[in-house]
Amino acid sequence: MIDNENNLDIARFEVNQSGRILSGNKRFCRMFGFSESEVVWHYITDCYRYHGDWETFSSCDNLSQTKFIFRMRNRKGRSFKCCLSREVVQDENGRVTFRNTVSRLGEPVLAKEVPHVEESRSVVFINKCAHCGEQVRVNSLAETRMRVLCDACAAKAYPEAFNLAAAQV
C-alpha cells in the first residue's frame, strides 16, 4: 500500500488489476471528490472519461511505458486531462497492483521533480508622458495609472521644483 501522508503536492493512488481502488492520498481524494473513508469502495474505471482508456492502461504489456495521458473526470462529472505515471508491482502470490501518481496537465511542474534555477528577471514599467506622449519609465505598476511627465515637460511646467530636485542630486 502507498503511504497516505498528507502530501498536497502529488495525487497518489493504488489499484488492483480489476480497477478497484485500494488506497489514495488526500490530494487524490480532493482531486476526484472522494472522502478518504469511501475511496476503497470505488473503481478507478468510474474516473475515466472514456471507458476504453482503462483497458489501454491496464493491458499495456510494455512495462517501460510509465506515463499515460488520459481524460479523467471527478464525481461531479467535470473532466480534465491528466498524466498518469504508473509503477507495476507484483507480490509473491502473483497479484498485480498499479501504484500511480496523477497530475493535471496545465498544472505547474512540482519543485521536487525539477531543480530550481535562479533567474534574474527585472520588470520595467513604462507610461506615456501626459504632455508630449513620450515613453517614461516609472517605478511601479501603480504609477502607470497616474499622470506622469517626462523630464523635459517637467522642467518646462515646474522649473522651480525640477531645478531644485536636480540641484540636490
Side-chain angles (χ1 to χ4, degrees):
M1 294 265 256
I2 61 172
D3 55 348
N4 282 338
E5 63 188 34
N6 293 332
N7 190 347
L8 297 177
D9 294 335
I10 302 171
R12 291 190 174 115
F13 69 100
E14 190 174 75
V15 296
N16 62 12
Q17 276 184 306
S18 61
R20 183 91 180 237
I21 301 174
L22 303 174
S23 64
N25 68 354
K26 286 187 179 198
R27 171 70 181 197
F28 172 78
C29 294
R30 198 173 65 202
M31 184 183 283
F32 289 97
F34 297 115
S35 68
E36 289 183 67
S37 60
E38 67 181 2
V39 164
V40 295
W41 299 104
H42 288 279
Y43 286 88
I44 196 64
T45 54
D46 297 334
C47 296
Y48 283 94
R49 177 74 172 96
Y50 304 109
H51 295 290
D53 289 345
W54 168 251
E55 283 82 23
T56 303
F57 179 79
S58 63
S59 65
C60 182
D61 293 332
N62 185 1
L63 296 178
S64 65
Q65 183 177 2
T66 59
K67 294 195 181 225
F68 298 87
I69 296 179
F70 295 121
R71 194 120 184 114
M72 305 289 280
R73 67 177 174 192
N74 60 14
R75 289 182 76 182
K76 293 181 181 178
R78 294 193 176 111
S79 66
F80 46 90
K81 217 171 197 180
C82 286
C83 178
L84 269 78
S85 300
R86 77 171 180 185
E87 176 187 354
V88 181
V89 179
Q90 189 170 14
D91 64 1
E92 62 275 352
N93 297 332
R95 290 183 294 210
V96 174
T97 57
F98 300 107
R99 291 182 183 160
N100 307 292
T101 60
V102 181
S103 61
R104 284 186 181 191
L105 290 182
E107 283 186 343
V109 179
L110 300 174
K112 293 178 184 175
E113 296 176 0
V114 176
H116 181 66
V117 177
E118 288 291 328
E119 293 181 17
S120 61
R121 293 184 180 180
S122 61
V123 178
V124 177
F125 299 102
I126 297 180
N127 197 2
K128 288 189 175 185
C129 176
H131 288 279
C132 66
E134 257 188 69
Q135 289 185 345
V136 179
R137 191 176 194 167
V138 292
N139 296 326
S140 67
L141 184 61
E143 288 184 24
T144 60
R145 296 185 183 112
M146 297 183 184
R147 282 189 71 194
V148 179
L149 299 176
C150 65
D151 290 341
C153 293
K156 290 178 193 171
Y158 308 104
E160 64 285 345
F162 187 81
N163 291 332
L164 179 66
Q168 289 176 352
V169 175

